[in-house]
Amino acid sequence: MHSSAPTQREIVLVVLLLTSLIFFFRNGTSVRHPTLDANFLDSEQASSHSEKSRLAIPPLPQNTRLSWGSESVPRTRIVAHVPGWTIFDKMYVFNGTFYIVTDEPEVIPERKYMISAGIPIVNGPEQAAARLPTDKHMRVITAEEAKKLFGTGANRMQGVTWLVNDPHQFITHYYHWSAELFFGFWRAYSTLDPLIPANGKTSLPPPRQLLFAHVDAGHWRDYASMNQWVLRTAFPSVKMEFSQDWEDRVAMGVPLVFDRILIADRAAAINGENFGRTQRTAAEPFALPGSPNWWSTYRNNVIEFSGLNSSVGEGTRGKPVITYISRQGWGRRMLIQEDHERLVEELYRLRDEKGYEVNVVSMDKLSRIEQLQLAGRTTIMMGVHGNGLTSLIWMKPSPRSTVMEFFFPGGFAHDYEYTTRALGMVHFGFWGDSAFTRPDVPPVAYPEGFQGNEIPIDGRVVARLIQERLTLADEADD
């Protein structure tokens, strides 16, 4: 009996079945990704994989451990160091203690310049002694000792890590967060690329994780909500861990190794010479080589996120923008009301006669985006010593960029003066009708009245200096 010929429907079903089998075996097998540099793996590198790799289910990471087996433990390398700011490659942590593995312990800086106990900073010799590191905080050991202690391998923290070894004492303050902690972080890290151009483009990968060993997740934001805003605009992909996470890692009882870690420690930085001159912990990394455009990477990321082109304000030919940050509604550290009114009058006279843009603002009345955009456009910023002047870090440095800070006569602090100069801009301090600038700055002092509401200022002197600064800048450009 002869079988009948296959029908057209049966032929179609067979073809579909064969096609499905071919597709399954071609795409269902695991795809082996090419080896990647675990230190600097990012989305751009991942996007370079083939279409087949992207369609397949990626395998679990195979490089989560650094294993040396019977070989010697990889040594720790200090990439860059100044008091309070140290970049390590292959830094180990075990049971909460940092370990530097080296065959040359004599070249390792004293521990007090690298790390501290991470407790609040209080004045007094006893308190200072309590901050000093012990073997509980950091040890320097040989590779042989490390082998006995760690065994045959360690879990890896891949990529670049920034670790803050400070309590929350200064963390929840916009100035100390942005203009000191991250100012110092980026200045220390950017030394690895001393050729950063004005547009901020750099080959340095952003930090992959930001660790706070002594700060919990509820104590890092400031009252104005600027800390989280600028962090998440500068580094949108950064992962954050806090003291609870650090305790989890310590409790595991297994060695951990950081591919590359930058440790910031305020108490350690206080031991440095630059801090002694400026009272700014971020001053220490400036002993390292760096680009004059070092801050542009961080600044431009934040400014462009706000919707402002990062090049706005460069040069000396654009319309000057004068911003007076008023504290008259704060109830603390305010100008004499009559002097405030006269200053505003003089600024508006410059606006009407010279065509300058003048803004008289209370920063707390502006949205975060409005604050960033205004600061990014500002040519001359002024105000009483206070947190509002932190916005100077978003100004575009140029020959006419200037910060004018009003103090109670006899009082002075380096906070905004040093920060201004570190960005390559000019700072003037005022005591009533007199002005001073580097190198003729007074010693740090907080006389009675420094925090008060009777701070004098002569608006005519301020207006005259504004005009001088803008005129000199124009001549320099010619």
Side-chain angles (χ1 to χ4, degrees):
M1 182 177 181
H2 297 286
S3 59
S4 61
T7 65
Q8 184 175 5
R9 178 175 179 275
E10 291 172 334
I11 293 173
V12 170
L13 288 174
V14 170
V15 171
L16 288 175
L17 177 60
L18 289 173
T19 302
S20 299
L21 289 172
I22 293 171
F23 181 86
F24 175 82
F25 284 109
R26 289 185 60 183
N27 294 279
T29 55
S30 62
V31 177
R32 188 175 184 85
H33 289 272
T35 301
L36 297 175
D37 183 350
N39 287 335
F40 306 122
L41 178 63
D42 57 28
S43 59
E44 289 184 1
Q45 289 171 307
S47 66
S48 67
H49 293 321
S50 66
E51 184 71 16
K52 182 190 296 184
S53 298
R54 292 197 300 107
L55 289 174
I57 299 174
L60 290 174
Q62 299 298 310
N63 51 3
T64 58
R65 279 184 60 79
L66 175 65
S67 298
W68 49 83
S70 60
E71 301 297 324
S72 181
V73 178
R75 282 27 169 209
T76 304
R77 184 169 75 98
I78 295 181
V79 181
H81 165 73
V82 289
W85 310 88
T86 312
I87 303 176
F88 301 92
D89 282 354
K90 300 296 184 294
M91 165 61 85
Y92 298 85
V93 177
F94 186 50
N95 292 335
T97 300
F98 288 93
Y99 286 90
I100 297 175
V101 179
T102 180
D103 297 323
E104 300 178 301
E106 67 277 4
V107 305
I108 303 299
E110 288 186 61
R111 287 179 299 178
K112 71 175 184 178
Y113 294 113
M114 297 186 289
I115 204 164
S116 73
I119 61 176
I121 296 175
V122 181
N123 292 330
E126 292 184 359
Q127 288 81 0
R131 296 195 298 268
L132 292 176
T134 66
D135 283 349
K136 174 184 176 182
H137 306 113
M138 179 178 283
R139 290 183 58 194
V140 180
I141 61 175
T142 65
E144 183 178 350
E145 291 172 320
K147 182 84 168 184
K148 294 177 181 178
L149 188 62
F150 302 151
T152 60
N155 288 347
R156 284 182 62 191
M157 288 293 287
Q158 300 176 36
V160 178
T161 300
W162 288 1
L163 184 141
V164 183
N165 197 53
D166 301 338
H168 68 78
Q169 184 179 13
F170 295 94
I171 297 295
T172 57
H173 189 283
Y174 180 35
Y175 172 80
H176 291 294
W177 174 273
S178 292
E180 193 166 32
L181 179 61
F182 281 88
F183 212 65
F185 258 139
W186 189 255
R187 182 57 181 81
Y189 186 53
S190 68
T191 192
L192 304 183
D193 182 5
L195 301 177
I196 295 176
N199 63 14
K201 301 301 181 183
T202 176
S203 59
L204 293 174
R208 185 179 292 192
Q209 47 263 335
L210 177 63
L211 307 186
F212 293 86
H214 306 288
V215 178
D216 64 56
H219 290 90
W220 67 278
R221 297 173 174 84
D222 65 312
Y223 67 86
S225 299
M226 291 298 292
N227 286 2
Q228 58 267 37
W229 188 264
V230 297
L231 172 65
R232 301 194 191 286
T233 53
F235 304 123
S237 299
V238 72
K239 177 183 70 176
M240 301 179 71
E241 290 192 8
F242 298 92
S243 55
Q244 299 94 330
D245 305 289
W246 185 248
E247 291 164 4
D248 288 343
R249 293 187 180 280
V250 170
M252 293 176 67
V254 296
L256 186 68
V257 60
F258 290 86
D259 285 347
R260 172 162 289 176
I261 185 172
L262 168 52
I263 299 179
D265 192 298
R266 170 178 286 271
I270 288 176
N271 297 313
E273 293 183 6
N274 281 354
F275 178 86
R277 288 192 289 266
T278 66
Q279 289 74 58
R280 299 297 94 208
T281 60
E284 288 300 322
F286 284 83
L288 298 169
S291 165
N293 305 302
W294 68 276
W295 184 243
S296 60
T297 308
Y298 196 103
R299 182 257 179 195
N300 290 357
N301 280 356
V302 174
I303 287 300
E304 290 182 355
F305 183 88
S306 76
L308 185 70
N309 189 299
S310 62
S311 65
V312 170
E314 64 185 6
T316 61
R317 292 305 187 188
K319 182 177 182 179
V321 178
I322 301 168
T323 300
Y324 165 35
I325 299 174
S326 171
R327 291 179 59 92
Q328 291 308 102
W330 274 86
R332 180 171 176 265
R333 235 183 287 140
M334 301 192 303
L335 293 177
I336 297 169
Q337 183 60 28
E338 292 80 4
D339 288 5
H340 160 76
E341 294 171 359
R342 181 61 184 270
L343 172 62
V344 172
E345 180 181 316
E346 291 292 332
L347 294 177
Y348 285 156
R349 182 180 61 79
L350 285 177
R351 178 195 62 187
D352 298 338
E353 294 181 2
K354 303 295 183 179
Y356 303 154
E357 177 183 335
V358 171
N359 303 283
V360 179
V361 298
S362 297
M363 282 302 197
D364 60 312
K365 300 295 192 298
L366 302 179
S367 70
R368 287 167 292 189
I369 283 185
E370 288 172 334
Q371 291 182 45
L372 294 171
Q373 289 182 340
L374 178 58
R377 296 191 304 108
T378 293
T379 312
I380 296 181
M381 181 178 291
M382 67 187 68
V384 174
H385 174 82
N387 200 31
L389 288 178
T390 303
S391 292
L392 72 88
I393 64 177
W394 313 122
M395 293 171 63
K396 181 73 173 179
S398 75
R400 59 184 183 178
S401 298
T402 309
V403 174
M404 299 181 175
E405 188 174 4
F406 311 145
F407 296 97
F408 186 83
F412 177 69
H414 282 290
D415 304 49
Y416 306 100
E417 187 270 342
Y418 177 79
T419 307
T420 302
R421 290 192 297 109
L423 294 173
M425 303 188 297
V426 175
H427 177 279
F428 284 92
F430 284 82
W431 288 346
D433 61 356
S434 64
F436 54 86
T437 190
R438 178 69 52 177
D440 300 319
V441 296
V444 173
Y446 301 93
E448 184 177 353
F450 186 89
Q451 308 286 5
N453 300 326
E454 295 294 318
I455 299 173
I457 193 66
D458 189 326
R460 290 170 297 183
V461 173
V462 174
R464 188 181 312 127
L465 185 56
I466 290 173
Q467 185 59 22
E468 289 178 4
R469 284 291 302 148
L470 296 176
T471 302
L472 287 172
D474 287 343
E475 292 176 353
D477 193 60
D478 292 338

